[in-house]
Amino acid sequence: MEKIIYSKYSNDRRREFAIRTDICCDDKGNKAVYKTAMFPEGKQHLNHMYNYYAESKKSSTCSEMGLAECSWETDGRLKFEYLNGTPLDEILDRLLAEGESKKVEEILLEYIETIYKNSCDCEFNISEPFKTVFGDVELPGKLQCGRYTNIDMILPNVLIEGTEKKLIDYEWVFDFPIPAHYVAFRILYYYIYSNSKRKALSGWNLYEKAGISSEEAEVYLKMENHFQEYILNGRAKYNQLYTMITPGIEAVVDKQRGIQEDCFLKPDRLLHVFFSKDTIFSEEESAYYRFSQDGTIKVRIPVTRELKNVRIDPGEYPCVLNIESLRFNGKIIDADRIDGNWTLRAKQKFFFDAPDPQMVVCLESSGELELQFQIMDVSQGGAKFLGKQLKFRDKKIDVLRKQLEETKRQLHAIENTKTWKMHEKCSRILTKKGKINE
């Protein structure tokens, strides 16, 4: 006889997607996973999962990665094999803790490349089913797609046991074109941002290394939001209710000083400061500070000799940051010494048009860093518009710079001709004789 040892209800979804997942164990210790539709409308959702599994078994859709086996039970439940492997995100977390950052990046990009190799059936073109699930968005042409797309290939769903790699969940599979880049975006997005210890990965340019432009990433985030709305059908998840009715509580820890306090504000209103002896920043050597309600902050931060490289992250979204004061040991830090991913700088104002803005400054010794900032949020639409305008300006400047270089080249060529040299020589002679008026 089987006994339920774990149960998860996904009843915050719309009725056709609401299911219950149970892990059961029999008298001999054998485990199995069962998915049950909570409403009659959900039977089609289970059918969809099984059909994808059966189709994949016939073809090479997942040639480099297996699927957890599934079968129908007589009572209408869908039974999945229970796998004992280690989730891929846990493996990467261990490597991060051991300082193996290059290995983490290598594994991530290899996994994404596997997905790209199995997504070459067609090019993306927007369809009505796509609009229903992901919204009406604009994407660049020639994006590769597979015949079927499992968008939920996130790392917790990949179990590793020895050399075998299997997907334990293929609930969200679609048979219309979806860019493989979107699947890669979800993998990176949920790995980086589902745990604050991984936030340092946001500075690794992983999207770019996976072939995803910043413009694409913005669109994929909109698609993800639309997809979540499609699943929930206007409902709120239980874990979202608290932040919807309160400003939220965030534990702010200053590891340099050993101070911890509860701050009543949303996480994106926190200034995150990283410390490092090189250019690799990690959550372990970082501190949080809170902005006031008017978007200002003034703090003094102790800096040790060993950790004199400082990265300042003023939130999670596009913004304008006004540096009212930035001093180290009482001396003003010139803005030209600050590195970062801003798009435009006007004196002490820095405009960031992409998520996860960052500023880096290298200090000469130990001491105290004093900063006074004011942050102004920029909507994604406004950031996108300004970003395009700035890129257009940069292109125009580049054209003018090339024209100036060409003009200089032509002038240099003229100055080296015999005619010009003769003209210069005659001018000097006539000047000496007083024939040319000043």
Side-chain angles (χ1 to χ4, degrees):
M1 181 177 176
E2 287 186 320
K3 181 173 66 175
I4 295 176
I5 58 174
Y6 170 86
S7 190
K8 176 186 175 184
Y9 286 79
S10 299
N11 56 354
D12 49 359
R13 304 172 179 174
R14 59 202 301 169
R15 289 173 65 93
E16 57 264 47
F17 301 131
I19 61 172
R20 189 182 80 234
T21 303
D22 300 318
I23 299 177
C24 297
C25 185
D26 64 18
D27 298 334
K28 296 180 181 180
N30 299 314
K31 296 177 183 177
V33 181
Y34 297 91
K35 291 185 183 288
T36 307
M38 298 184 65
F39 303 102
E41 300 95 312
K43 185 65 183 293
Q44 183 58 36
H45 191 50
L46 296 183
N47 279 334
H48 196 63
M49 284 185 245
Y50 179 78
N51 291 340
Y52 174 70
Y53 169 75
E55 185 67 28
S56 296
K57 293 288 283 185
K58 296 176 189 175
S59 64
S60 58
T61 304
C62 290
S63 58
E64 297 182 49
M65 189 180 307
L67 298 176
E69 294 180 6
C70 75
S71 58
W72 283 111
E73 294 287 283
T74 54
D75 58 4
R77 294 181 300 168
L78 199 55
K79 180 181 179 180
F80 292 79
E81 66 172 321
Y82 181 85
L83 298 169
N84 291 301
T86 306
L88 186 51
D89 60 333
E90 291 184 15
I91 293 173
L92 296 189
D93 285 347
R94 271 200 297 257
L95 289 171
L96 278 175
E98 294 167 2
E100 296 284 348
S101 55
K102 288 186 178 178
K103 185 67 175 175
V104 170
E105 181 178 310
E106 180 184 319
I107 292 172
L108 274 170
L109 295 178
E110 280 181 2
Y111 176 48
I112 288 170
E113 185 59 32
T114 299
I115 292 167
Y116 288 169
K117 283 201 300 187
N118 288 290
S119 303
C120 301
D121 297 316
C122 61
E123 290 184 359
F124 174 71
N125 61 82
I126 197 162
S127 62
E128 288 306 316
F130 178 95
K131 292 178 185 178
T132 301
V133 180
F134 299 106
D136 191 357
V137 296
E138 290 186 15
L139 282 164
K142 298 186 177 180
L143 292 173
Q144 293 300 306
C145 311
R147 181 184 174 192
Y148 297 100
T149 304
N150 178 0
I151 69 167
D152 211 17
M153 299 179 75
I154 57 176
L155 305 187
N157 288 341
V158 182
L159 259 58
I160 310 293
E161 189 170 13
T163 57
E164 192 174 33
K165 189 185 298 180
K166 277 194 175 184
L167 278 169
I168 60 170
D169 197 339
Y170 34 94
E171 188 177 354
W172 302 109
V173 177
F174 300 93
D175 59 2
F176 51 80
I178 301 170
H181 279 188
Y182 173 61
V183 181
F185 169 83
R186 293 186 95 247
I187 291 166
L188 295 173
Y189 182 82
Y190 282 108
Y191 182 62
I192 294 170
Y193 294 107
S194 61
N195 188 320
S196 60
K197 290 182 179 180
R198 307 172 189 142
K199 189 184 173 186
L201 274 69
S202 61
W204 290 12
N205 297 322
L206 289 172
Y207 293 134
E208 183 181 342
K209 290 173 182 176
I212 301 170
S213 68
S214 58
E215 291 81 7
E216 271 186 89
E218 286 183 24
V219 177
Y220 295 146
L221 187 56
K222 289 179 183 177
M223 285 171 55
E224 182 61 21
N225 292 334
H226 197 283
F227 171 62
Q228 296 298 332
E229 290 173 7
Y230 168 74
I231 296 171
L232 299 173
N233 197 27
R235 300 179 182 181
K237 288 189 173 183
Y238 296 128
N239 61 4
Q240 295 173 335
L241 292 175
Y242 183 76
T243 54
M244 290 173 67
I245 59 178
T246 75
I249 295 178
E250 183 74 19
V252 177
V253 182
D254 184 341
K255 294 188 177 181
Q256 297 255 329
R257 297 184 188 180
I259 298 172
Q260 177 166 336
E261 60 173 319
D262 287 336
C263 297
F264 290 81
L265 74 167
K266 294 183 179 178
D268 60 328
R269 276 305 186 190
L270 292 173
L271 183 76
H272 198 179
V273 182
F274 295 85
F275 309 89
S276 173
K277 57 186 173 183
D278 44 40
T279 56
I280 299 174
F281 298 95
S282 66
E283 183 79 20
E284 285 71 23
E285 298 293 349
S286 70
Y288 287 97
Y289 303 88
R290 61 173 173 173
F291 284 95
S292 63
Q293 292 300 314
D294 63 357
T296 59
I297 188 170
K298 184 176 181 179
V299 292
R300 295 174 182 269
I301 304 170
V303 179
T304 66
R305 181 180 295 275
E306 293 77 19
L307 304 174
K308 59 184 181 179
N309 290 297
V310 180
R311 192 182 95 193
I312 303 167
D313 291 15
E316 299 285 353
Y317 304 103
C319 67
V320 174
L321 189 72
N322 182 31
I323 299 181
E324 296 177 354
S325 176
L326 184 61
R327 297 172 180 267
F328 184 62
N329 291 337
K331 295 181 180 179
I332 296 173
I333 297 176
D334 194 306
D336 291 332
R337 287 181 53 196
I338 303 171
D339 196 9
N341 63 349
W342 61 83
T343 307
L344 178 67
R345 174 191 151 200
K347 294 185 178 180
Q348 301 300 103
K349 286 187 172 67
F350 295 79
F351 168 61
F352 300 86
D353 71 339
D356 197 32
Q358 299 175 11
M359 308 176 79
V360 179
V361 59
C362 180
L363 306 172
E364 296 84 4
S365 61
S366 59
E368 186 178 68
L369 180 66
E370 179 187 346
L371 58 86
Q372 185 173 348
F373 294 165
Q374 181 175 28
I375 191 170
M376 291 160 279
D377 289 336
V378 179
S379 69
Q380 286 198 348
K384 187 175 181 180
F385 172 76
L386 285 170
K388 284 184 177 178
Q389 294 301 311
L390 291 168
K391 285 175 184 175
F392 174 74
R393 181 211 63 177
D394 290 342
K395 285 181 180 178
K396 199 168 183 179
I397 289 173
D398 190 50
V399 169
L400 291 172
R401 187 180 291 114
K402 287 178 180 177
Q403 289 176 351
L404 179 60
E405 291 298 321
E406 177 60 21
T407 302
K408 286 181 178 179
R409 189 192 65 77
Q410 291 176 358
L411 284 173
H412 183 69
I414 291 171
E415 288 170 351
N416 283 310
T417 60
K418 290 182 179 179
T419 304
W420 181 262
K421 289 178 180 178
M422 181 63 71
H423 167 75
E424 287 285 283
K425 189 175 181 180
C426 291
S427 295
R428 285 195 295 271
I429 293 171
L430 292 172
T431 300
K432 285 180 181 180
K433 292 183 176 181
K435 298 297 184 180
I436 296 180
N437 294 323
E438 291 293 328

